[in-house]
Amino acid sequence: MKILYLNPAGQIGGAEAVLLGILKRLKQSKKDWEYDLITASQGKLVRAAADLGISTEVLSFPTILRTVGESSFWQMFLALPAFFNYLQKLKSRIRFLQPNIIHTN
C-alpha cells in the first residue's frame, strides 16, 4: 500500500500535529506500507515527517498563488496561469509516485 499525503503548509499547526500522529502510528503498525508527503512550503512539518522516515517533497506554490486573496477577482484571474502550471506539476508528481490513496490534509 502506498499513501500520498498532501498538505499546503510546511509548518506545524493543529492539523499538521494530527497528521504527524497519524504518520507515526501508521509507520509503527504498517511497516511494509510506503508513505510520501508533499507540502507547498518548507518548514518543521517536512523535517518532522522526514525524521519519521516519510519521503518528503516540497512543491512550492508560486508567489502569486501565495498572495491571492479572496476579495480580488482580478488577482485570481491573473493567478490562473500559475495555478494551472502548479496543478500540472502536482499531477506529474502524483503520476510518478503512483499512490493507492491520496490523503489531503
Side-chain angles (χ1 to χ4, degrees), residues 5-24:
Y5 294 87
L6 301 176
N7 197 75
Q11 296 301 326
I12 298 176
E16 291 77 20
V18 171
L19 176 60
L20 284 171
I22 290 168
L23 290 170
K24 183 177 180 179

Side-chain angles (χ1 to χ4, degrees), residues 36-103:
D36 295 292
L37 170 66
I38 296 177
T39 65
S41 64
Q42 248 337 323
K44 292 181 179 181
L45 172 63
V46 177
R47 290 186 292 278
D51 289 346
L52 291 174
I54 306 298
S55 172
T56 62
E57 180 176 350
V58 176
L59 187 59
S60 297
F61 283 148
T63 302
I64 194 166
L65 290 179
R66 289 191 304 255
T67 59
V68 169
E70 295 176 11
S71 61
S72 174
F73 175 77
W74 185 245
Q75 274 186 316
M76 289 191 294
F77 179 74
L78 292 175
L80 280 175
F83 170 75
F84 286 115
N85 185 38
Y86 183 84
L87 192 58
Q88 282 301 114
K89 289 179 183 177
L90 182 58
K91 283 172 51 177
S92 176
R93 293 306 301 152
I94 291 170
R95 284 188 186 120
F96 175 78
L97 294 170
Q98 298 182 334
N100 299 100
I101 296 172
I102 299 174
H103 172 126

Side-chain angles (χ1 to χ4, degrees), residues 18-36:
V18 171
L19 176 60
L20 284 171
I22 290 168
L23 290 170
K24 183 177 180 179
R25 296 294 169 302
L26 280 172
K27 285 287 287 183
Q28 291 170 345
S29 64
K30 302 292 183 184
K31 294 178 182 3
D32 57 332
W33 288 12
E34 294 180 46
Y35 308 93
D36 295 292

